[in-house]
Amino acid sequence: MGAIVEVKDFSFKYRDARRRAVKHVNFSVEEGSLFAIIGANGAGKSTLCNALVGLIPHYFSGARAGKILVDGSDVADSTIAELSKTIGLVFQNPFNQLSYTAGTVAEELAYGLGNHGVPRDKMVERVETVAKLMRIDHILDKNPLELSGGQVQRVAFGSTFIMEPRILVLDECTTQLDPMGSEEIFDIVKKLNASGVTVIMVDHDMERVARYADTVMVLERGEVASIGTPMEVFSDDSIEQHGVDVPDYVSLSRALGGPIVITEEPAIEMAKEALR
Amino acid sequence: MAVKITYANTPVSRLHPMTKIMAILMLGLCALVWPDFTLGLVLVIALFVVSFVARIPSDFVKIMFGFGIPVTVMLMFIQGLYSPKNQTVIADFGFAQLGLEGVLYAAKIVMDLLVFLGSFTIMSKTTYTGALVAALTSAGLNAKAGYLILASLNVVPQMQRRMSVIREAQNARGLSESGGLFSRLAAYVPLLGPVVMSSLTDAQERGMTLETRGFGITDVKQTSYVEVRWRTVDKVCNWVLVIMAVIVTAISVGIYIGVIPALTPWAGA
Amino acid sequence: MTVELRDLEHIYPSGDIALAGVTLTLEGTDPVAIIGQNGAGKTTLVKHFNGILRPTSGSVLIDGVDVTSHTTAEWSRTVGYIFQNPDDQLFLESVRKEFGFGPKHIGMDSDVIEQRIGTVAELVGLSHKLDTHPFDLTPTEKKFCAIGAVLMMDPSVVIFDEPTCGQDRKGTARLSHIISSLRESGKLCVIISHDMKFVTMNCPRIVVLCHGTVLLDGPADEVFAQPDILRRSFITPPPITRVGQGAGLKETVFSVPAFINAIATERNARG
């Protein structure tokens, strides 16, 4: 399979900003893969997310160079609404993702489908499926304004992937959820990914990144500091100098003197070995 | 699975929103063109009956009288005492005289207003806004205009929620709201900054999230999750309303040009 | 400082029961974490500590004084509450003014205020941003500005609602530093968090809420030694702890050095 997203020497400086948010960023995302972007705050992660869905340049103005191709065409030549047929973004702040025009959670979920002109019977069917999957089927009749943070986050996520985008961009989309709630969401992400959806995720939880990602890109001050498989990136000694954590399993395997492991199961095996 | 019915399920709430809009326009038209207040009065009485059917009589009565009484008093005073049309004196207060023509004219205006207000109240109290906008959109209303209607209706509850969170956060920083009226008002000033600021940034962020959810796509016809059904009863209602409006207009025109004698000459036509 | 909750119940006007009888005493200086699933009642619980919410029944006593006897504003000098969203809490035109606002309000001496601004700014990492408008701060800095503004009042109890939300490695490290220095100066920190790594690194005592009641309460190692009960409140132990449990380590560990020590101890014990 080929690259579905190609970022070519992309730089961007927000209007009124002193320095460029991202500079000379190059990477491509294989169709059907799970691509993670990590880095300290202010490294340019959200800027890239905004650029992928066309908010840059269509919404945020500023100085821009290079190109972003989504499914072969330049995002600058399309509109945000048009791009929403291919690529969906779940924002960091779920409260601002709601349309605030819906009287019920069901309508909120269906909002994007309505914009795409999906017939009502299909809409109802999709809402039901997504609500069950997200475990929000018990609040479908509730007013979105009355939800808790965790519920809003589930609704925000559901309202994006209900549109069946081929590419799903997740900008720290589980910050309001309890640990098992986050895991549940990522199980769904993994399933969507297995069914062919390309996923690009930004996250601060390195264990999660190591567990799910096919490719990890580290950003530092707007530049790509490292890119590779989770194993390549996290086994690099110098990675923490770029302002990111490594999974605890890495430090544990180093301390145990064994080969580097980045996920739970091999770490358990290694620890069992050490206990023997 | 159905959309939550926020409104009592009655024959009125089940009507298509466009039927109700049609009713406001046609009933209003009838009252307006009719030469005196009598038809308006009949329609207002009919609306009271409808409000019972719609199970909103107390809300309806409150609005009708809350508006009707002060407006009637005011218009009676102005028109009854000072209208240039006044010829027949029905009461003499010494400082001014109450004229019959002015009183009848005031009655006509009040009834016209009450017909509009009453039918609008019944519509707004029995129609889910989402359904109204869905109906308007499918009737050709621009999607952006539809968004504006819904979003602006949501602004107030959103601001209120925001305000209460910010108030809690500020109280926790030692901002006191107790004391006299002035100090309580003064305590609100620091709340305004964050409320306005956050509303602005929220609005900006929301604008962009809407587009990522396909808002503003031009080449497809938007659909809605909210179902609005056009049933036989709607068809009948619309025809009845239109026919009634045509007949009322025809008779009224007849009366104006003198082809038909005034039906209620005592009412000041 | 003691926060004492007796049969605390809170029912929202909607009829939702948020707290169904919580009896709990928080005291000393060891930071306490309040954890639990979404909707377990964590925020509702701590909003009673300074009277933002009033109990439906039961009582909250701060050093023996019923919390309902004063307003939230009056409690602000004793109980500091840092909201999750700093935008809600900031409203002045510079960090310095934000810091000075609370103390001035409670009549703190202006020399003391000046001196405190220096130390607090240092602690939260905003020494070089004192004259910046809070609106021009990054989201991370805003959060630290809100923390600073609350700490300026020198409260004895400090409540953090989801402090690590949106923080990176550096921000999380600074938060840990703030919490440990508050502990050293005799303050009681209460932390609501979904971040189990952060919680276990900073809080010796853990209270787990579930459906408005206390599910578990005790030292971190005892609480996290019961993953099956924790699951009931949608909590999973942090990664290192899970590895230890998976490998059959008897001790509940929260860090790599502790893990290595525990392995050595167990091997020695076996001889």
Side-chain angles (χ1 to χ4, degrees), chain C residues 228-249:
Chain C
D228 293 335
I229 298 180
L230 287 173
R231 285 184 78 82
R232 298 221 301 261
S233 199
F234 285 67
I235 300 290
T236 46
I240 281 292
T241 317
R242 284 164 59 120
V243 172
Q245 288 164 348
L249 206 62

Side-chain angles (χ1 to χ4, degrees), chain B residues 239-253:
Chain B
W239 276 113
V240 168
L241 285 165
V242 170
I243 292 168
M244 183 173 100
V246 169
I247 295 172
V248 167
T249 311
I251 297 175
S252 304
V253 170

Side-chain angles (χ1 to χ4, degrees), chain A residues 39-41 135 142 148-150 172 175-181 183-184 204 207 240 243-249 251-252 255-256 264 267-268 271-276, chain C residues 16 36-39 84 140 162 165-170 194 196-197 230-231 233-236 239-240 242-244 246-249 254 256 259-260 262-263 266-267 270:
Chain A
N41 284 339
R135 299 211 290 119
K142 261 199 158 182
S148 70
E172 293 184 55
T175 49
Q176 311 266 338
L177 292 173
D178 50 55
M180 278 167 71
E183 264 178 56
E184 233 174 65
H204 280 304
E207 285 81 14
E240 282 171 278
V244 295
D245 277 316
V246 295
D248 279 349
Y249 315 119
S251 345
L252 181 66
L256 289 173
E264 186 177 294
I268 291 177
K272 276 184 183 161
E273 195 61 39
L275 265 173
R276 246 172 236 147
Chain C
D16 293 329
Q37 76 205 89
N38 288 119
Q84 196 179 343
T140 323
E162 292 288 353
C165 198
Q167 297 286 1
D168 58 5
R169 180 187 164 86
K170 219 169 103 192
H194 285 315
M196 293 308 129
K197 261 195 215 180
L230 287 173
R231 285 184 78 82
S233 199
F234 285 67
I235 300 290
T236 46
I240 281 292
R242 284 164 59 120
V243 172
L249 206 62
F254 300 117
V256 173
F259 199 109
I260 302 298
I263 288 184
E266 286 193 24
R267 290 177 68 146
R270 272 179 291 171

